[in-house]
Amino acid sequence: MNTQNNLGGAFTFPGTSITVKRMGYGAMQVAGPHVFGPPKDVNAALAVLREAVESGVNHIDTSDFYGPHITNQIIKQALHPYGKDLTIVTKVGARRGDDSSWIMDTSPEFLRQSVEDNLRNLSLDVLPIVNLRVGGVSAPSEASITEPLTVLAELQQQGLIQHIGLSNVSQKQFDEARPITKIVCVQNYYNVAHREDDGFLDRLNAEGVAYVPFFPLGGFTPLQSSTLDDAASALRTTPMVVALAWLLQRSSNMLLIPGTSSVAHLRENISAASLQLSQDISDKLNEMGHVSVI
């Protein structure tokens, strides 16, 4: 284990002046249960955000449909005015029902409203990076993304968005997007056990495009594996820290955004950036992508 944590080193989004530490923070859990309504303890939510930035994290992933609105409002309360090196990445393409359901919505009117809502609730004049969220809950579809992406490209031309990324997309959709606007990042479902994107990840790494895995620890069904348990025991850490460390070592374009509502858990996640996995452990974890995980 390293004695100094540099948060996994730095990554510069392609064609931009935006450089972030590879270990970031996902703000989904800042909201209440099921990412809906206010948190049980607002002060604890503020403390986690401030601790993240004080620890050197300069990449926060969020969305105005977390809450809805609440997560962005708490980010503003905790961190505004923002440090010049802090990059807040948001996403549009979904909204919440009154019953807390997730409703995919990429209509032009809603996308424009979503960008305006993010700007207002974060108190920003321009959004550094906006991801277009498409597809289902965790898997992409093959539907065309030209229409919604064109809307975001127009908002980019108007100066409301600096850069654009994609979330929950296939390689075909990535190729469809490139003539419309430059894509600086892809945010897809990926972790040590869920590896359908291996080839896509390697391609993006070769092209210098950031890959940001959502559900890096399994999401609402956390990873459980004897392989992770054994590695964690050998390294005297937790299985989740091992899973995050594997992701950082998997590819140099990998940017992590694990979320938590606990300062202690945040510190644990950050420790993954200083954990070095041996080749033997890495090989065993690599095999997890080829077997079922309970």
Side-chain angles (χ1 to χ4, degrees):
M1 184 177 293
N2 294 338
T3 57
Q4 183 177 0
N5 194 336
N6 67 355
L7 299 184
F11 179 90
T12 300
F13 290 95
T16 81
S17 60
I18 299 176
T19 298
V20 297
K21 302 291 180 59
R22 292 178 62 215
M23 176 64 76
Y25 173 75
M28 176 183 280
Q29 294 186 43
V30 167
H34 309 294
V35 202
F36 194 75
K40 295 179 179 179
D41 187 339
V42 173
N43 288 331
L46 295 170
V48 169
L49 285 160
R50 290 167 179 158
E51 175 76 16
V53 171
E54 288 169 5
S55 298
V57 168
N58 64 354
H59 170 203
I60 293 178
D61 179 85
T62 186
S63 175
D64 211 53
F65 55 73
Y66 295 164
H69 310 302
I70 290 167
T71 292
N72 281 353
Q73 292 167 354
I74 292 176
I75 289 173
K76 174 185 174 181
Q77 183 180 348
L79 302 175
H80 193 272
Y82 307 115
K84 63 180 181 179
D85 69 333
L86 178 63
T87 298
I88 298 177
V89 179
T90 191
K91 65 187 72 65
V92 295
R95 54 187 171 87
R96 307 300 296 278
D98 293 339
D99 59 352
S100 80
S101 59
W102 301 81
I103 303 168
M104 304 311 296
D105 190 342
T106 57
S107 64
E109 298 79 9
F110 182 71
L111 292 176
R112 294 186 185 98
Q113 183 63 54
S114 297
V115 167
E116 292 172 1
D117 288 344
N118 276 280
L119 288 166
R120 181 181 66 257
N121 287 316
L122 289 168
S123 194
L124 288 170
D125 295 324
V126 58
L127 299 173
I129 301 175
V130 175
N131 287 318
L132 173 64
R133 180 67 159 80
V134 294
V137 174
S138 61
S141 69
E142 289 297 347
S144 173
I145 62 172
T146 292
E147 181 178 355
L149 187 60
T150 298
V151 173
L152 293 191
E154 290 170 352
L155 293 171
Q156 183 181 38
Q157 292 168 1
Q158 294 169 21
L160 300 181
I161 298 171
Q162 281 184 291
H163 306 288
I164 294 175
L166 301 172
S167 179
N168 206 29
V169 294
S170 67
Q171 291 199 58
K172 179 180 177 182
Q173 289 168 323
F174 177 74
D175 290 333
E176 178 187 0
R178 303 189 80 174
I180 300 171
T181 187
K182 184 176 184 63
I183 301 300
V184 302
C185 57
V186 169
Q187 188 179 98
N188 275 10
Y189 182 25
Y190 186 88
N191 55 53
V192 67
H194 186 98
R195 304 254 294 281
E196 282 82 352
D197 256 7
D198 269 339
F200 193 11
L201 167 58
D202 291 338
R203 174 191 170 186
L204 293 174
N205 189 34
E207 297 181 13
V209 177
Y211 188 94
V212 188
F214 66 77
F215 294 161
L217 299 175
F220 301 114
T221 309
L223 296 172
Q224 297 182 55
S225 163
S226 59
T227 304
L228 282 173
D229 292 341
D230 292 346
S233 178
L235 294 166
R236 297 183 179 180
T237 185
T238 69
M240 297 299 96
V241 168
V242 173
L244 292 174
W246 179 87
L247 285 168
L248 284 172
Q249 292 183 211
R250 168 64 179 83
S251 187
S252 61
N253 66 330
M254 187 85 73
L255 307 183
L256 299 191
I257 50 168
T260 178
S261 58
S262 157
V263 167
H265 190 199
L266 171 72
R267 292 170 178 166
E268 180 181 292
N269 289 342
I270 287 174
S271 74
S274 63
L275 183 66
Q276 295 298 314
L277 305 180
S278 69
Q279 189 61 53
D280 179 61
I281 288 176
S282 293
D283 289 344
K284 290 176 180 177
L285 293 173
N286 289 340
E287 289 301 313
M288 282 183 58
H290 307 290
V291 298
S292 60
V293 178
I294 61 172

